[in-house]
Amino acid sequence: LGKCLLSPIVLAAYAYNRSLSELGPGGRGEDEPGVLCQLFAFLMAFFGLAPTLLLLAMALECWLSLGHPYFYRRHLTRRLGATLGPAAGGLCALFCALPLLGFGVPMQYCPGTWCFIRMAGGGPRELGFPVLYAGLMGLLVLAIGACNVSSMRHLYGMARRQPRRGPPPAAAPRMEELDHLVLLGLMTVLFTVCSLPLIIRAYMGAFAADINENADLSALRFLSVNSIVDPWVFIIFRTSVFRSFVRRVCRRL
């Protein structure tokens, strides 16, 4: 959804060879970006935070189902799972709308085809939101990493308890747990590597006054890469050919 909403705006800017503020003027002041740029900044912030919150919900669900199955069976219901998505989206939308209300400033970045929250330069009103945004992202990354590491530990323990040798039915559960273990490990590493640059850039811009739009652009690219690569890792890894290849490698090791 984020790619479908944001990509046409960028393509239109390139097609008309105009910046986002020129395509959608209407800012309250001369130095303030236009309405389209403000919308773009809101969508970038929202679709950077909302999937992270949903990933945390998925990581918690995985951790509870493996580590605390009785609690999971008693308290986690389908109704609760169905309400988590809209609730997470609503909370993220309210939080990311703060710059539109004056706490934080949307900013058009070079070459004028993308906008985000200003991460360097300005006073507490301008830099308070990016620090808060980066801090929340950092907490979510730590929580997701902790849940996934704990889930991997439970999966490894379950695999160790399975018999190492025997007919295929006896060996299959152990290999299935190893499949999930490798998948969780890959997605955790990818998510952490893609999220850290934005967190680092926000803190550097706020406390070290490091104004570097190219570095900010690279951080946003990393954050966008995560939402592109993670589904492909999941899709490719779930194919039978790739899983059989991983199982052969595990057996050799």
Side-chain angles (χ1 to χ4, degrees), residues 148 166 198-199 245:
N148 284 347
L198 180 67
I199 299 171
F245 170 75

Side-chain angles (χ1 to χ4, degrees), residues 13-185:
Y14 277 109
Y16 290 100
N17 197 24
R18 300 170 70 184
S19 67
L20 297 184
S21 293
E22 292 173 336
L23 278 177
R28 287 172 289 186
E30 293 183 0
D31 298 332
E32 190 172 293
V35 174
L36 187 61
C37 183
Q38 295 180 29
L39 174 64
F40 194 94
F42 167 77
L43 290 175
M44 284 289 290
F46 175 79
F47 286 110
L49 188 63
T52 311
L53 200 57
L54 291 176
L55 278 176
L56 176 60
M58 294 168 64
L60 281 171
E61 192 265 348
C62 185
W63 170 63
L64 287 173
S65 65
L66 290 170
H68 306 276
Y70 294 109
F71 178 88
Y72 175 83
R73 179 71 175 175
R74 177 174 297 180
H75 296 286
L76 270 72
T77 61
R78 289 182 178 272
R79 181 177 297 178
L80 176 63
T83 56
L84 277 178
L91 288 174
C92 289
L94 290 175
F95 179 77
C96 295
L98 289 177
L100 304 178
L101 303 176
F103 184 63
V105 178
M107 177 179 173
Q108 179 175 276
Y109 284 84
C110 183
T113 54
W114 69 287
C115 297
F116 195 63
I117 310 303
R118 176 184 289 176
M119 292 190 287
R125 186 179 71 88
E126 290 83 5
L127 299 181
F129 180 79
V131 171
L132 191 60
Y133 186 87
L136 182 57
M137 284 283 290
L139 289 175
L140 291 176
V141 169
L142 287 176
I144 292 169
C147 289
N148 284 347
V149 169
S150 180
S151 299
M152 290 162 64
R153 184 175 62 84
H154 286 299
L155 284 170
Y156 182 72
M158 292 164 63
R160 288 278 302 240
R161 287 192 293 269
Q162 295 290 337
R164 291 183 176 274
R165 296 183 181 277
R174 180 171 182 267
M175 296 310 302
E176 184 177 355
E177 286 143 9
L178 286 176
D179 288 341
H180 291 295
L181 179 68
V182 175
L183 178 62
L184 267 180

